[in-house]
């Protein structure tokens, strides 16, 4: 089916600018409109899975005009964005009633979705930067949405580091344009193939690694994330940890490294190092946390390490001209873990929001015994914890298993062992969450805690079912061929891919 | 000459980065980021600059009978228009983020009564 690609940017963008006109009086109409938009995008993105399309904006052909490119990797990211934004939007219907200015919230939310879809679809580096800024600015405002001491402080910290990252990326774009004379990714890839790397392009690549690394919160660029993600309202934490760091950070970085600059052994080791550092440092920082959402935020850093590690191992095998099947497996593990993390981490943040709404606190030590009062939230949280810790048969187990196998095949035995170890520490950390939040004795002041209702439960249920169902994405060959394999093939094809895409 | 201009541009970028990373005052940090953005904008403009170049516009008289000579002359003298378009976009984006940064600074000042980031430390690192 032919779906015009600009819809993914235009629909949320138009809705974002129409919504403030609704004001407080038509709040429910605005909420309805926002939900319809994200649901429609979910439907459309699922239709596009596994397809390849190029859309020329305004009818201008490629070297002159701007193009939007959809391939397997973009389609996978579009679906991830749509799934998480649908769940977060459903959750917001009730959750955001405790804040004022709900229509402004919805408007910023849709702006962020438009920006992320734009980043994922953009076929040239400058538009990627523009959409990245749209999504980032909306997210800075959403982190500070509560306008209290902590929120403002976190928002400022996030905004300073985010802006520095954006300037780095723009500087990289300028260097690339100066050295290749083009902004289109396919043309840049061809120019680099013909003329080879030079010092300007190498500087651009390192600026991209730093800039997108900051956006993805990889260690050592992670300092802002544990402040920013917990300070946002829970559905926004779910969006930030679930998809924003992936679309703006990991997607953009791997697109540029694999498809534009081309993989090489040094850059593959940079990815592996970033991945292992994030995995290990993230999880050890998470263990000591007693703030529910802060703990989850540190685990996001750790889990993003797995994704980058998978991509790095794939890049290493490709750069050494090793067995492409094992490279394919490593990238599959990374991308599958990316999709899985989007689902289980947003579910964890939604359950933390539901707990916070019922108890009024985020401190683990002040909770306990909530399984009596909130059995359904507890069930959702248990499913998500099992997924993130890699307990079979939930989705997190399969992606981690694939990553370990890939690491062993690449003869990186130490890294394979570290991967398993980090997974065990993650399990311990989530046993602590279950023990302190849901089990144990119910404190007297929480006897009145009430289970969340309606749309909030629906959103959590939707994601919990996905946590189980996504295991089928690797277990059923048919599903794997349509959902994950096209995305893997895009990265495997390397610089050749974007060249065939625009038929040079 | 040209290399020195690029070096100055890089120096401006470094000054901005230093200011954003080292300064303790929120407003100075914001200004540091703005200086970095200006350095990158300047760099983009210089990429398309050409000493003694003309505006990249083909006049009506030229366009009617664009022959080889006119086209060659145009290509030899016109500056590159693309970086100029990019810089316009980049300026608008930095205006948007600057407005948001300054308003967050003002709201933070209302809450804490100071711009000093060493005193604004409720969140542990």
């Amino acid at each position: 089916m032919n779906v015009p690609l600009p819809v993914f940017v235009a629909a949320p963008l138009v809705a974002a600018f129409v919504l403030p006109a609704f004001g407080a009086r038509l709040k429910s109409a605005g909420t309805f409109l926002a939900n319809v938009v994200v649901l429609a995008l979910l439907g459309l993105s699922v239709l596009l899975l596994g397809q390849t399309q190029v859309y020329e904006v305004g009818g201008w052909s490629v070297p002159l005009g701007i193009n939007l490119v959809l391939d397997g990797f973009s389609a996978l990211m579009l679906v991830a964005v749509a799934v998480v934004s649908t769940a977060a939007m459903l959750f917001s219907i009730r959750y955001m009633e405790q804040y004022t200015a709900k229509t402004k919230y919805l408007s910023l939310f849709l702006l962020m979705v438009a920006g992320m879809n734009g980043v994922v679809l953009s076929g040239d580096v400058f538009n990627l930067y523009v959409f990245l800024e749209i999504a980032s600015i909306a997210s800075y405002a959403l982190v500070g949405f509560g306008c209290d001491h902590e929120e403002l402080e976190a928002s400022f910290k996030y905004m300073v580091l985010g802006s520095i990252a954006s300037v780095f990326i723009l500087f990289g774009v300028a260097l690339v344009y100066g050295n290749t004379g083009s902004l289109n990714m396919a043309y840049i890839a061809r120019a680099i193939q013909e003329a080879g790397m030079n010092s300007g392009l190498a500087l651009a690549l390192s600026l991209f690694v730093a800039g997108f690394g900051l956006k993805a919160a990889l260690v050592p660029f992670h300092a802002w994330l544990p402040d920013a993600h917990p300070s946002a309202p829970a559905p926004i934490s779910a969006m930030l940890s679930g998809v924003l760091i992936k679309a703006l950070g990991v997607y953009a970085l791997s697109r540029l490294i694999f498809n534009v600059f081309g993989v090489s052994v040094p850059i593959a080791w940079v990815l592996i190092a970033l991945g292992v550092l994030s995995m290990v440092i993230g999880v050890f920082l998470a263990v000591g946390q007693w703030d529910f959402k802060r703990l989850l935020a540190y685990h996001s850093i750790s889990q993003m390490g797995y994704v980058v590690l998978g991509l790095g191992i794939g890049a290493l095998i490709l750069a050494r001209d090793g067995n492409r099947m094992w490279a394919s497996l490593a990238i599959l593990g990374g991308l599958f873990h990316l999709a899985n993390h989007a689902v289980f981490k947003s579910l964890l943040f939604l359950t933390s929001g539901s707990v916070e709404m019922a108890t009024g606190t985020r401190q683990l030590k002040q909770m306990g015994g909530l399984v009596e009062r909130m059995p359904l939230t507890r069930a959702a949280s248990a499913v998500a914890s099992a997924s993130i810790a890699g307990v079979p048969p939930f989705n997190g187990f399969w992606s981690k298993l694939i990553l370990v196998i890939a690491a062993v095949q690449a003869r990186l035995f130490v890294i394979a062992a570290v991967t398993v170890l980090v997974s065990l520490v993650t399990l311990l950390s989530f046993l602590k969450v279950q023990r302190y939040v849901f089990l144990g004795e119910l404190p007297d002041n929480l006897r009145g805690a009430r289970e969340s209702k309606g749309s909030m439960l629906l959103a959590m249920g939707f994601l919990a079912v996905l946590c189980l169902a996504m295991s089928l994405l690797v277990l059923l060959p048919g599903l794997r061929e349509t959902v994950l394999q096209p995305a893997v093939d895009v990265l495997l094809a390397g610089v050749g891919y974007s060249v065939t895409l625009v038929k040079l | 000459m040209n290399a020195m201009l690029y070096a100055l541009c890089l120096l401006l970028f470094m000054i901005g980065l230093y200011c954003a990373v080292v300064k303790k005052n929120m407003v100075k940090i914001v200004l540091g980021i703005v200086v970095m953005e200006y350095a990158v904008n300047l760099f983009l403009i210089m990429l398309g600059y050409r000493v003694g170049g003309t505006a990249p516009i083909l006049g009506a008289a030229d366009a009617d009978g664009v022959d080889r000579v006119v086209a060659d002359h145009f290509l030899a003298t016109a500056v590159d228009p693309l970086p100029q378009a990019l810089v316009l976009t980049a300026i608008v984006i930095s205006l948007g983020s600057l407005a948001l940064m300054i308003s967050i600074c003002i709201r933070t000042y209302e809450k804490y009564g100071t711009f000093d980031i060493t005193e604004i430390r409720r969140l542990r690192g």
Side-chain angles (χ1 to χ4, degrees):
Chain A
M1 198 186 125
N2 203 14
V3 182
L5 297 180
V7 168
F8 287 96
V9 181
L13 203 59
V14 169
F17 285 106
V18 168
L19 273 171
F22 281 38
R25 275 184 300 141
L26 289 171
K27 197 167 65 178
S28 40
T31 315
F32 179 71
L33 175 68
N35 273 286
V36 168
V37 170
V38 290
L39 256 178
L41 289 184
L42 176 61
L44 289 179
S45 61
V46 170
L47 285 178
L48 284 178
L49 267 177
Q51 287 192 24
T52 302
Q53 277 188 41
V54 180
Y55 179 89
E56 289 167 347
V57 178
W60 291 88
S61 59
V62 168
L64 300 176
I66 297 165
N67 60 358
L68 297 179
V69 179
L70 177 97
D71 55 26
F73 192 17
S74 325
L76 180 71
M77 291 301 300
L78 273 184
V79 174
V81 171
V83 165
V84 177
S85 56
T86 304
M89 196 56 112
L90 266 176
F91 194 84
S92 306
I93 298 175
R94 290 184 81 95
Y95 186 81
M96 290 310 289
E97 289 299 323
Q98 48 185 327
Y99 290 83
T100 52
K102 191 177 174 189
T103 43
K104 287 187 188 127
Y105 162 85
L106 296 171
S107 174
L108 285 168
F109 188 116
L110 288 174
L111 210 55
M112 194 163 80
V113 172
M116 282 191 281
N117 284 345
V119 166
V120 167
L121 286 175
S122 175
D124 73 296
V125 281
F126 189 74
N127 275 287
L128 191 139
Y129 164 75
V130 172
F131 285 123
L132 176 120
E133 280 290 76
I134 293 175
S136 303
I137 293 176
S139 71
Y140 306 149
L142 283 168
V143 165
F145 197 76
C147 275
D148 211 340
H149 291 80
E150 286 85 0
E151 280 100 339
L152 288 169
E153 189 189 333
S155 174
F156 185 74
K157 197 170 171 185
Y158 176 29
M159 193 155 40
V160 167
L161 289 173
S163 299
I164 291 177
S166 301
V167 179
F168 278 12
I169 293 164
L170 182 61
F171 195 12
V173 170
L175 281 168
V176 164
Y177 178 70
N179 280 295
T180 62
S182 181
L183 290 169
N184 187 286
M185 288 184 193
Y187 279 72
I188 297 169
R190 190 181 59 165
I192 295 176
Q193 282 299 97
E194 283 170 1
M197 289 287 276
N198 59 28
S199 53
L201 286 171
L203 177 61
L205 183 56
S206 47
L207 283 167
F208 284 139
V209 170
F212 292 119
L214 258 165
K215 296 276 182 199
L218 298 171
V219 173
F221 308 114
H222 67 286
W224 57 271
L225 186 141
D227 292 335
H229 287 193
S231 298
I236 294 305
S237 308
M239 284 292 282
L240 295 179
S241 264
V243 283
L244 192 86
I245 51 174
K246 303 188 179 70
L248 264 52
V250 174
Y251 166 82
L253 187 62
S254 45
R255 170 70 80 190
L256 286 174
I257 288 179
F258 280 84
N259 293 143
V260 177
F261 284 91
V263 290
S264 59
V265 175
I267 195 74
W269 277 111
V270 168
L271 285 181
I272 292 176
L274 285 174
V276 173
L277 274 176
S278 307
M279 238 163 59
V280 176
I281 295 179
V283 83
F284 280 108
L285 287 171
V287 166
Q289 296 300 322
W290 289 98
D291 178 323
F292 196 174
K293 284 173 85 178
R294 217 177 158 76
L295 182 145
L296 295 181
Y298 276 113
H299 277 294
S300 284
I301 300 174
S302 167
Q303 300 298 313
M304 289 317 284
Y306 280 95
V307 177
V308 175
L309 175 67
L311 296 172
I313 294 175
L316 186 69
I317 301 176
L318 281 181
R320 284 177 174 167
D321 283 325
N323 188 337
R324 290 180 76 80
M325 211 182 86
W326 296 120
S328 163
L329 188 74
I331 296 173
L332 178 82
L335 293 184
F336 186 41
H337 199 68
L338 184 149
N340 291 341
H341 182 252
V343 172
F344 59 63
K345 185 47 70 71
S346 44
L347 177 54
L348 280 167
F349 268 115
L350 293 187
T351 55
S352 81
S354 151
V355 167
E356 189 186 357
M357 200 176 176
T359 62
T361 179
R362 298 203 312 236
Q363 296 304 317
L364 295 178
K365 284 180 178 168
Q366 292 170 18
M367 301 182 213
L370 284 173
V371 63
E372 296 170 33
R373 306 295 313 171
M374 312 174 78
L376 294 170
T377 305
R378 197 272 153 136
S381 172
V383 168
S385 301
S387 302
I388 195 173
V391 175
F394 295 100
N395 55 6
F397 168 72
W398 302 107
S399 47
K400 286 184 180 178
L401 184 67
I402 293 174
L403 283 172
V404 173
I405 294 174
V408 170
Q409 286 302 333
R411 310 245 161 266
L412 303 168
F413 299 110
V414 180
I415 289 176
V418 169
T419 312
V420 176
L421 194 75
V422 168
S423 190
L424 287 176
V425 181
T426 310
L427 180 64
L428 281 180
S429 175
F430 278 93
L431 284 177
K432 173 175 118 179
V433 169
Q434 295 296 322
R435 155 80 182 73
Y436 277 91
V437 178
F438 295 107
L439 305 175
E441 211 168 310
L442 190 67
D444 284 337
N445 60 338
L446 295 183
R447 297 229 170 263
R450 255 183 277 157
E451 176 67 289
S452 43
K453 297 194 223 49
S455 62
M456 287 168 74
L457 278 184
L458 190 64
M460 290 191 282
F462 169 56
L463 290 176
V465 169
L466 272 183
C467 274
L468 255 178
M470 279 176 77
S471 306
L472 298 178
L473 283 182
V474 282
L475 297 180
L476 292 182
L479 266 177
R480 189 175 66 225
E481 292 304 318
T482 50
V483 180
L484 289 172
Q485 201 57 44
V488 175
D489 290 340
V490 170
L491 292 182
L492 268 185
V495 286
Y497 190 80
S498 41
V499 176
T500 48
L501 201 62
V502 289
K503 315 243 170 12
L504 282 170
Chain B
M1 178 64 192
N2 230 348
M4 210 175 92
L5 281 177
Y6 284 122
L8 279 176
C9 200
L10 194 65
L11 183 69
L12 194 62
F13 185 83
M14 289 303 175
I15 291 172
L17 185 60
Y18 173 82
C19 182
V21 174
V22 173
K23 290 293 171 186
K24 301 276 179 270
N25 186 311
M26 288 173 82
V27 179
K28 286 183 184 167
I29 293 174
V30 172
L31 288 179
I33 292 170
V34 173
V35 169
M36 280 169 78
E37 277 163 359
Y38 284 176
V40 174
N41 288 350
L42 183 64
F43 178 69
L44 267 168
I45 283 291
M46 286 201 318
L47 283 179
Y49 180 71
R50 174 178 264 175
V51 180
T54 57
I57 301 165
L58 263 180
D62 302 334
D64 283 340
V66 181
D67 53 33
R68 248 320 344 128
V69 182
V70 176
D72 284 346
H73 178 70
F74 181 75
L75 286 177
T77 57
V79 298
D80 185 355
L82 191 63
Q84 302 181 1
L86 301 188
V87 167
L88 276 180
T89 316
I91 288 174
V92 174
I93 291 171
S94 68
L95 176 75
S97 67
L98 178 63
L100 184 63
M101 275 195 271
I102 290 295
S103 48
I104 296 265
C105 284
I106 295 171
R107 293 299 290 268
T108 316
Y109 187 80
E110 283 170 4
K111 295 279 180 193
Y112 287 88
T114 175
F115 278 128
D116 188 344
I117 52 163
T118 52
E119 288 171 34
I120 303 171
R121 296 203 77 113
R122 289 222 184 168
L123 299 169
R124 295 143 293 121

